[in-house]
Amino acid sequence: MKVSFYLYDPSVAAAAIFAALYGLCFFGTTYLWLKHRAWVCLIMVVAAAMESVGYISRCISAQNQDNQSIYVLQFSLTVLAPLLVAAFCYILFGRITYLVIPRESRTFKLIWVPPRFVTPIFVFCDILALFLQLIGAVMLSSTDASDSDAQEKIDRGKDIALIGTIVQLVAFGLFTFVAVRFNFTSKRFEKSTYEQYHGREESNNRFNVVEGAALQAERKPSMNPNWRALLRVVNIATILILVRTIYRMVEFTEGNKGYVNEHEWCVYVFDALAILPCFALFVAYHPGKYLPYLGFRVPKHAR
């Protein structure tokens, strides 16, 4: 007798729709990644690919509900992909603070996190959460119900995944508060950024190409004066990821017999539908339009 790994009858149509939508996000993020040479945006390309493949796998899994390998694949990819989106938000926020706030103003009081370690601290927590959730997700989705110690494995996997989710929730909850708060405290730097940007344009008009290039190398890079639009996108994305993280924590806490595990609509409303706008927003407001440096490291003269 074949045993389904789902506690409901999964919808092939719903999985196909989100596979297509995330597929469009993948092509959009890949195109803009190459167009702007925004190499750090590779994180979003990988995340979009994971979501797309995850829901394609879910389509196949919905038609082969007893196939453990496909079930593990779709579950793991859709659980882990949002953590990469979270890491991308950490990195963008760190870049914005470095490029917008003058060095003498980068204080703990302003950001509530040591400015130099904004990205490292949160990315480390994200990697730890990803590692724990990966182990937990694989243990939960790969346990055979017929095993004599199946319940023990399920409980252990649930606990590990839950710890990973709690780590992510605490770190991302703090980050969400810091990022949203900075949306208001950063207004003081908007005027100086605007003047710097237009002052740079005037300087470049007065100097020849060689002198202009030298000036550009010596001075701090100019930001797009509309950089706060990107900051607002980061704020929206963090809130959406936070909602999704809370959902996953409830899922792992309830266990296999919980409400969210027995109703498929929860997966699509609180995970698939919550994360999709993050990709759409970063396509519409691509960082390449706002930030001057999007390599894997910010040059020393730009810090």
Side-chain angles (χ1 to χ4, degrees), residues 159-222:
D159 291 341
I160 293 173
L162 182 59
I163 292 171
T165 306
I166 291 173
V167 169
Q168 184 190 8
L169 183 62
V170 171
F172 207 74
L174 173 61
F175 174 75
T176 302
F177 185 80
V178 169
V180 172
R181 177 179 175 273
F182 185 71
N183 189 63
F184 298 98
T185 58
S186 64
K187 289 181 179 180
R188 74 185 74 171
F189 306 110
E190 192 169 15
K191 183 178 179 181
S192 61
T193 306
Y194 181 86
E195 291 173 348
Q196 179 194 21
Y197 180 81
H198 288 281
R200 179 65 52 78
E201 285 186 329
E202 292 176 4
S203 297
N204 285 342
N205 288 335
R206 289 197 299 267
F207 292 95
N208 60 35
V209 175
V210 176
E211 291 173 326
L215 178 67
Q216 198 79 342
E218 293 173 0
R219 295 178 60 184
K220 188 178 179 179
S222 60

Side-chain angles (χ1 to χ4, degrees), residues 24-50:
L24 290 174
C25 290
F26 169 71
F27 287 115
T29 52
T30 301
Y31 169 73
L32 293 171
W33 170 55
L34 296 173
K35 177 184 177 181
H36 293 288
R37 296 183 179 181
W39 308 127
V40 75
C41 295
L42 175 63
I43 297 171
M44 286 296 281
V45 174
V46 174
M50 288 173 67

Side-chain angles (χ1 to χ4, degrees), residues 93-108:
F93 183 76
R95 297 292 172 93
I96 290 171
T97 56
Y98 253 108
L99 296 172
V100 169
I101 305 174
R103 186 171 300 175
E104 64 275 8
S105 299
R106 296 175 195 159
T107 61
F108 183 87

Side-chain angles (χ1 to χ4, degrees), residues 21-286:
L21 291 174
Y22 277 111
L24 290 174
C25 290
F26 169 71
F27 287 115
T29 52
T30 301
Y31 169 73
L32 293 171
W33 170 55
L34 296 173
K35 177 184 177 181
H36 293 288
R37 296 183 179 181
W39 308 127
V40 75
C41 295
L42 175 63
I43 297 171
M44 286 296 281
V45 174
V46 174
M50 288 173 67
E51 291 281 13
S52 182
V53 173
Y55 284 102
I56 290 173
S57 301
R58 190 176 177 90
C59 287
I60 300 171
S61 180
Q63 300 173 75
N64 301 272
Q65 297 180 27
D66 61 324
N67 189 307
Q68 188 176 43
S69 298
I70 300 176
Y71 177 79
V72 171
L73 177 64
Q74 64 84 27
F75 184 75
S76 299
L77 290 176
T78 54
V79 165
L80 300 177
L83 276 79
L84 296 184
V85 182
F88 187 64
C89 289
Y90 296 148
I91 292 171
L92 285 185
F93 183 76
R95 297 292 172 93
I96 290 171
T97 56
Y98 253 108
L99 296 172
V100 169
I101 305 174
R103 186 171 300 175
E104 64 275 8
S105 299
R106 296 175 195 159
T107 61
F108 183 87
K109 182 178 179 181
L110 177 66
I111 310 177
W112 283 19
V113 176
R116 184 179 178 183
F117 301 106
V118 169
T119 300
I121 288 174
F122 288 115
V123 169
F124 171 78
C125 291
D126 203 53
I127 292 173
L128 177 61
L130 187 149
F131 180 69
L132 291 171
Q133 287 187 47
L134 174 61
I135 295 174
V138 171
M139 289 181 68
L140 279 170
S141 57
S142 62
T143 300
D144 193 329
S146 61
D147 291 347
S148 58
D149 59 345
Q151 190 57 51
E152 183 182 345
K153 290 181 179 178
I154 290 173
D155 291 340
R156 192 184 306 127
K158 181 188 71 174
D159 291 341
I160 293 173
L162 182 59
I163 292 171
T165 306
I166 291 173
V167 169
Q168 184 190 8
L169 183 62
V170 171
F172 207 74
L174 173 61
F175 174 75
T176 302
F177 185 80
V178 169
V180 172
R181 177 179 175 273
F182 185 71
N183 189 63
F184 298 98
T185 58
S186 64
K187 289 181 179 180
R188 74 185 74 171
F189 306 110
E190 192 169 15
K191 183 178 179 181
S192 61
T193 306
Y194 181 86
E195 291 173 348
Q196 179 194 21
Y197 180 81
H198 288 281
R200 179 65 52 78
E201 285 186 329
E202 292 176 4
S203 297
N204 285 342
N205 288 335
R206 289 197 299 267
F207 292 95
N208 60 35
V209 175
V210 176
E211 291 173 326
L215 178 67
Q216 198 79 342
E218 293 173 0
R219 295 178 60 184
K220 188 178 179 179
S222 60
M223 289 277 287
N224 185 314
N226 298 318
W227 58 268
R228 282 174 57 80
L230 179 61
L231 179 60
R232 284 191 288 271
V233 168
V234 172
N235 291 160
I236 294 170
T238 55
I239 292 171
L240 291 171
I241 296 170
L242 188 61
V243 170
R244 180 265 177 192
T245 304
I246 293 172
Y247 155 71
R248 285 297 183 183
M249 187 178 71
V250 172
E251 178 190 30
F252 292 136
T253 302
E254 286 188 337
N256 289 341
K257 298 301 179 180
Y259 180 87
V260 297
N261 280 286
E262 295 180 339
H263 295 81
E264 188 178 27
W265 70 266
C266 296
V267 175
Y268 289 107
V269 171
F270 295 115
D271 196 321
L273 199 58
I275 298 301
L276 186 65
C278 298
F279 290 97
L281 285 169
F282 282 124
V283 168
Y285 297 89
H286 194 271

